Structure formats: structure tokens, C-alpha cells
Amino acid sequence: MAPQDNNNNAAAAGDDNDDALANNNSKHSSGGVSSVHEPSKAVELGREPFFAFIPAVFRWAGGIVGGELGHLKNGVTSFPSFTKSYVGGAFTFYRKNPRVFYDEVISGFTVAIMQVPESIAFSFVAGVPPLSGLHATFWMALITGLLGGKPGMISGAAGALAVVVTKITAEDGALPHLTTDERLNVLYMTMFACGWFQILFAWLRLAKLVRLIPETGMIGFMNGLAIIIFMAQLPAFKTCPGVEYFVDCTLDQRQWLTFQNEPWVLTATLVQVALCMAIMKWFPKVPKIGKIIPSSLVGLLIGAFVEHVIFRIGLGVETRTVAQTAQMSGSLPMFNWPAIPAGDSTALQVVLVYGVTLAAIGGVESVLTLQACNEITDTVPKISESNQELFAQGLANLISGLFSAMGGDAMIGQSTINIMNGARYRVSSTMSGIFMLLFVVALAPFINLLPIATLTGVLFMVVISTFQWKTFVILRYGRLSDSIAILLVT
């Protein structure tokens, strides 16, 4: 009985539905408006305030900062145990491998010797006292050797930053209204800011952006660097009579050496430049000792002998030396807060603008040098190593600014030589900085005897090796877009 009752109920329900449908159809046909076709009321959409995204951004940034603070806390708390294990492990390793320790120290000593003439030369390029460049090399090598991302990589006073720094220190540069000492203080404050910017770059993990730089951009950058270094050597062919130190001479007082007014001095200067360049070119080909003793050091030694024995004693002709260019005395780095002129908005603008510029240039060159060293050692590159190197470079430049040093970055030439010597650990790069400081204190009297023309010869060889000579092939046979990019960057 239950199935039959269900069928009857279903039939009754179907009849009711048919009646309802008929009624609706009759209403529609008679012009009535059915409830099915009544327009529904518009749904009101809630619109958030315009700045509603700001809390979300702050929460996102807060999460990042919180994570970084957590890493910092873990690093600080684990630092004592890490240092103990690291020092203990290093001591055990070198005790079991004394030959490795010896090779590292000797390589660091060799690199430090090579850095002395270049640091002095780049100091004159930057327009700072020689001691500022030498101290910068000490700080850069020491700190990046201990904390850098690539063991064995060498840093110091470099030409890439020197050519930018000269815009701050030059009398006709960005700060012509300031005195020489005031411009130097602005420079040191700029390096202090540069260090903070590089640390910020490392925190933001910006090292990976270097891979976006095209090859044409790097070729133009290297060419421009070579041209600026060459132009910075032209004062070596100028004289300033009646002034004790050449750096104290204004641009209007400086006079070109010519064969009419100073024929023998100009001849001696050209001989010194050519002699040093020839030694740096051919000495490395001398069997056995050519690859052991740096050719730049040999060029300086022979140049000093020629200047003080042959020219001055034998011929009675003298060229300008380091002692006649700027005052230098061997001393340890001293803390000196770089005070810039109060209320000088131009000086503050220079600090910020050039601080970012120097941080970017130094960061790019350091990361590229690290990548080149990884290729030499067949090491798999890691972005974390590049960011660690950026942090170390920033800390070194920051401290350099506080100790009246011109700052610097990684040096591809010295880094390559150090690694080719077999250095693979932090001892070599760290010891190069320590040896540099010892040289500054002990060898200051000898450094004062070096002829400026000899240092110019060293930097002319740097120009030749820095300039990308394949540029002319690209300009002749390459794509027009590549040629334009190289010329614009240069």
C-alpha cells in the first residue's frame, strides 16, 4: 500500500505544479509582471579605503624585518661558540698543514708588495694623500679577508672608485667652494655613507642583479675607467715652481712641461715612464725570478735608482717625487670623525649622491671579481657569497671613512695573482692587509723617494690592461646596437 499512496501523492503534487504554471502563464499573457521576472535589487559592493593596502605592506615588511632580526639574534648568540670552533679548527688545520700556511703567508706578502705602488698611484688619481690610499688598502684587505664571501680574494684602494672620488676632491669638481681639507672630510663622510649603502644592498640581496648587466655595458665601463685613469696621469707632466708640495698648487699655477721651458726635466720624465712600462712588460718573462718578484716593484726600485743616482747625481736633473708631491709620514690609522661644513646642502647632497654611486660601482666590481675567482677555482657560485662580500665591502668602506682612508673595492688583478699562487684560504688576503700596514710604518722614507713618473708608468700599464681592445672589433664588425651601447657607457 505504501508505494500506491506515494504515487497518488506525487500525482497530486504534479497537478498543483501544473496549476501554478498555468496561472503564471496567464498573468504573463495578460500583461502582468511575474515575480520571476522582477529585477533583483543591486548588490552593494563594499569599497575599501584608498590606503587600505598600507597596513598589509607594513605587515609584510615587519615580517621581513622580524625574520632578519631573528637571524641577527641567532648570529649574536652563536658567535662565541662559532668563533671558538672556527679558530680552533683553523689552528688544527694549519698545524697539520704547515706548508699550506707558509704558502698563504708568502702569497699575502707578495700581493702586499704589489699593492704598495698601486695604492700610492691611485691616491694621486683620487686627489688624496698617499697615506689615505695605503690605509684604505689595509682596512679593505683586512676586513674583507676575514669576512668576505670568497677566501683568497684581495681588496684595496682601486681605480674604479678613485676616478669617481676625484670629482669630490678636485678643485674644479663638485665642491669648488670648499677648502682642500673640507673636501677631504666630505670624501671620508661619503665613504662612511657608501659603506652603509653597501650593507643595505647586501641585506636586500641585490648581488643577483649584477647578472642583468650586459657584456656591452661592462666593456663600456672598463673603457671609461681606463680613459679616466689615463687622464688623471697628465699632472705628472706638469710643474708648479715656488710651491713646497704639488698638491697645494692651484690649477691656475700648474704649468705644462715643454721642451722650451724645461727640456731636460721633460725628457727625464718621459724616460722614467717608458723605462717602468718596459720593465713591467718584459720582466715577467725573465726565467725563474720573473714570476716571483712583482714587475711593478722592480720598476719602482729601478726608477728610484735612476732618479737619485743617474739623473740627480750624474746629470743634475730631477723629476718630481712623492715627497715633493704630498706630505707623507708612516703612521698607524687614527680615528677621525669626518665633520662636513654645517648647513652646507651641497656637501650633504654630494655625500648622498656619491655615496650611492660609489656603493654601486664598488659592489658591481667586487661581485664580478668574485665570479671571476670562482671561475679560476672551478667553484660553484652562490648568491649568498656575493651578498656576504657586499656586506664585508660595506663594513670596510664604513671603517675606512672613520679613519681618513679613501675606501676601495675588490681588485681583480691582485685577486687573480693571489689565487694563481695557490692561495685558497683567508690567511693570504688577511695577511696582505697586515703586511701593508707594516710597509706603511717601516717603508715610508723609501716611498717618499719614488718618482711620480715611475708611478705614472705603472698606471699606464694598468690603463693598457684595463681597456677592452676588442671594442674596435665590435665597432667594426658587431651589431649597431652593441656599438652604440659601448660608446654611450664609455
Side-chain angles (χ1 to χ4, degrees):
M1 295 296 294
Q4 185 177 1
D5 292 340
N6 290 337
N7 292 335
N8 293 334
N9 293 335
D15 293 341
D16 294 339
N17 291 335
D18 292 341
D19 293 340
L21 181 60
N23 292 333
N24 288 334
N25 290 335
S26 63
K27 290 180 181 180
H28 181 70
S29 60
S30 62
V33 180
S34 173
S35 61
V36 176
H37 296 281
E38 288 182 358
S40 58
K41 295 182 178 180
V43 179
E44 295 292 338
L45 298 177
R47 179 173 296 177
E48 295 183 353
F50 180 74
F51 294 105
F53 70 93
I54 293 181
V57 172
F58 274 103
R59 286 193 297 271
W60 170 75
I64 294 179
V65 173
E68 295 297 330
L69 291 178
H71 292 314
L72 179 61
K73 179 181 177 181
N74 294 334
V76 172
T77 54
S78 61
F79 180 76
S81 59
F82 169 77
T83 304
K84 181 179 179 180
S85 61
Y86 179 81
V87 174
F91 179 78
T92 303
F93 174 79
Y94 289 118
R95 186 178 60 183
K96 294 180 179 179
N97 301 275
R99 182 65 186 182
V100 174
F101 182 79
Y102 172 80
D103 292 340
E104 291 281 316
V105 173
I106 293 300
S107 182
F109 178 80
T110 304
V111 170
I113 292 176
M114 295 181 61
Q115 285 183 299
V116 170
E118 291 195 2
S119 298
I120 298 172
F122 287 134
S123 299
F124 290 120
V125 172
V128 300
L131 202 60
S132 179
L134 294 169
H135 284 170
T137 298
F138 160 69
W139 286 117
M140 298 300 299
L142 178 67
I143 295 175
T144 59
L146 292 173
L147 305 176
K150 180 65 177 179
M153 198 167 80
I154 304 297
S155 298
L161 297 190
V163 296
V164 179
V165 165
T166 188
K167 302 296 182 182
I168 302 176
T169 59
E171 185 180 349
D172 57 346
L175 300 169
H177 61 287
L178 299 182
T179 64
T180 301
D181 292 338
E182 289 175 336
R183 290 196 296 270
L184 288 177
N185 278 331
V186 172
L187 166 62
Y188 301 142
M189 179 58 73
T190 302
M191 296 313 305
F192 180 76
C194 168
W196 282 114
F197 282 124
Q198 287 182 325
I199 293 175
L200 178 63
F201 294 165
W203 180 67
L204 295 175
R205 315 294 197 269
L206 297 184
K208 58 185 178 182
L209 298 180
V210 175
R211 294 180 295 181
L212 301 178
I213 301 176
E215 182 182 3
T216 53
M218 292 307 304
I219 292 175
F221 171 77
M222 298 301 291
N223 291 344
L225 175 62
I227 293 172
I228 294 175
I229 293 177
F230 174 81
M231 297 296 294
Q233 302 315 301
L234 297 182
F237 302 96
K238 292 183 178 181
T239 183
C240 187
V243 178
E244 183 178 5
Y245 298 111
F246 184 81
V247 294
D248 297 332
C249 188
T250 62
L251 294 177
D252 296 333
Q253 292 176 314
R254 298 178 183 181
Q255 303 174 4
W256 287 100
L257 292 173
T258 64
F259 287 106
Q260 286 74 30
N261 60 358
E262 295 286 352
W264 291 108
V265 176
L266 179 58
T267 301
T269 301
L270 294 174
V271 169
Q272 287 278 38
V273 173
L275 177 63
C276 182
M277 295 179 67
I279 292 172
M280 293 187 64
K281 173 66 177 178
W282 301 108
F283 182 80
K285 299 181 180 181
V286 176
K288 296 183 179 180
I289 64 173
K291 296 182 179 180
I292 299 177
I293 305 176
S295 58
S296 58
L297 178 62
V298 176
L300 291 181
L301 292 175
I302 295 178
F305 174 81
V306 170
E307 171 67 25
H308 295 281
V309 176
I310 298 179
F311 286 166
R312 299 200 175 197
I313 297 178
L315 301 177
V317 179
E318 64 178 45
T319 65
R320 181 158 47 89
T321 61
V322 172
Q324 296 170 317
T325 302
Q327 185 178 9
M328 176 184 170
S329 59
S331 62
L332 298 174
M334 301 294 293
F335 178 83
N336 180 31
W337 177 258
I340 62 176
D344 193 334
S345 59
T346 303
L348 181 60
Q349 182 180 0
V350 166
V351 168
L352 296 177
V353 173
Y354 281 87
V356 174
T357 303
L358 292 170
I361 294 175
V364 169
E365 185 165 6
S366 298
V367 173
L368 291 177
T369 302
L370 186 145
Q371 293 176 357
C373 293
N374 282 333
E375 292 180 2
I376 296 174
T377 58
D378 292 329
T379 305
V380 178
K382 297 180 181 179
I383 296 298
S384 59
E385 293 178 349
S386 300
N387 290 312
Q388 181 179 347
E389 183 64 32
L390 275 180
F391 172 81
Q393 294 284 335
L395 182 61
N397 279 315
L398 186 152
I399 294 179
S400 294
L402 296 178
F403 285 85
S404 300
M406 62 173 282
D409 56 31
M411 307 182 73
I412 180 64
Q414 281 73 8
S415 299
T416 302
I417 292 173
N418 191 45
I419 291 177
M420 295 299 290
N421 288 340
R424 295 293 186 274
Y425 304 99
R426 298 187 181 276
V427 172
S428 58
S429 49
T430 304
M431 289 303 298
S432 69
I434 296 176
F435 280 127
M436 172 60 69
L437 185 61
L438 295 177
F439 293 160
V440 170
V441 176
L443 300 181
F446 168 73
I447 293 175
N448 282 323
L449 298 177
L450 295 177
I452 295 298
T454 304
L455 296 173
T456 300
V458 172
L459 284 175
F460 276 171
M461 294 301 294
V462 173
V463 169
I464 294 175
S465 62
T466 300
F467 191 87
Q468 303 295 300
W469 299 101
K470 61 182 177 181
T471 300
F472 299 108
V473 178
I474 297 176
L475 294 178
R476 177 64 179 85
Y477 300 104
R479 294 180 299 181
L480 179 61
S481 58
D482 292 342
S483 302
I484 294 176
I486 292 175
L487 293 176
L488 288 177
V489 176
T490 301

